[in-house]
């Protein structure tokens, strides 16, 4: 899998490169700002672009704006954003137009190499991977909306779906059967009014999008 990294911290950039190459990924480029990452994506057409949310010159949202440009120009490239803090608005902005192939993790998650690589593979495969802390804060801030129709258990299942967990992983986390998870997901999709005739076959991802829109 070919990857491009944009991270202004040299230490983290080198660390990410070493970790990914050790795990068998091809790091086509590792750069330090948003302008360079756009050039790198254009040249190398990676499967995934990993971007720091805050990069030079202002260290505000350069990484998010670069991600939106990549999504528009090269929609086949999946995106995994890294942030020092929870800024869930950025995750919602990214998935608003196309929820497939998006990840948003706190940087501390990189230290858990297997979790980080698993998230990278999920977004490369067209899935969604949100940091559990982001999901937790979204749940706390939500006051009302269509998600009110869900039961507490269904909310738990949806939160784990937003993290990018598979049905079997959700079953293990909640100590329930795979079939029970399937029933909960069907109920969630029905209550969120997601049509069965989804041309793109992305009802699961769209459920996550509804979750984010409900902030």
């Amino acid at each position: 899998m070919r990857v491009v990294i944009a991270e202004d911290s040299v230490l983290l950039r080198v660390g990410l490169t070493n970790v990914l190459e050790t795990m068998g990924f091809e790091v086509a480029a590792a750069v330090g700002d948003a302008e360079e990452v756009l050039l790198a994506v254009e040249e190398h057409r990676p499967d995934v672009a990993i971007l720091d949310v805050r990069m030079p010159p202002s260290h505000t949202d350069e990484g998010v704006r670069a991600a939106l440009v990549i999504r528009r120009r090269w929609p086949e490239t999946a995106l995994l954003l890294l942030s020092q803090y929870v800024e869930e608005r950025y995750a919602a902005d990214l998935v608003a137009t196309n929820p497939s192939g998006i990840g948003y993790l706190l940087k501390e998650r990189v230290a858990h190499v297997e979790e980080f690589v698993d998230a990278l593979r999920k977004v490369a495969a067209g899935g969604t991977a949100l940091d559990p802390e982001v999901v937790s804060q979204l749940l706390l801030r939500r006051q009302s909306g269509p998600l009110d129709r869900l039961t507490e258990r269904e909310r738990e299942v949806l939160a784990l779906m937003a993290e990018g967990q598979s049905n079997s992983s959700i079953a293990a986390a909640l100590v329930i059967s795979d079939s029970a998870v399937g029933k909960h997901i069907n109920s969630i999709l029905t209550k969120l009014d997601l049509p069965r005739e989804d041309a793109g076959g992305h009802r699961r991802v769209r459920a996550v999008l509804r979750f984010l829109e409900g902030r």
Side-chain angles (χ1 to χ4, degrees), residues 4-10 13 29-38 40 50 52 54-57 59 62-63:
V4 162
I5 299 170
E7 166 60 59
D8 62 303
S9 166
V10 174
R13 188 165 70 237
V31 301
D33 62 48
E35 184 175 343
E36 288 181 308
V37 76
L38 293 179
I50 302 172
D52 186 10
R54 301 187 179 196
M55 289 191 286
H59 295 278
E62 283 85 354

Side-chain angles (χ1 to χ4, degrees), residues 42-108:
E42 182 176 31
E43 177 181 355
H44 300 288
R45 303 300 175 91
D47 300 295
V48 185
I50 302 172
L51 303 101
D52 186 10
V53 167
R54 301 187 179 196
M55 289 191 286
S58 70
H59 295 278
T60 55
D61 62 352
E62 283 85 354
V64 177
R65 286 190 278 120
L68 292 170
V69 172
I70 293 170
R71 178 112 299 194
R72 185 173 66 253
R73 293 184 183 173
W74 304 286
E76 70 280 6
T77 298
L79 300 165
L80 179 60
L81 272 81
L82 300 177
S83 177
Q84 193 73 38
Y85 309 101
V86 176
E87 297 172 289
E88 68 269 19
R89 176 174 61 84
Y90 291 147
D93 287 347
L94 277 169
V95 301
T97 54
N98 183 352
S100 300
I102 290 288
Y104 188 103
L105 299 179
L106 294 182
K107 287 187 176 179
E108 64 188 46

Side-chain angles (χ1 to χ4, degrees), residues 119-138:
L120 195 58
R121 294 190 190 283
K122 283 176 184 172
V123 299
T128 306
L130 298 181
D131 194 283
E133 187 62 28
V134 175
V135 174
S136 176
Q137 292 204 18
L138 284 169

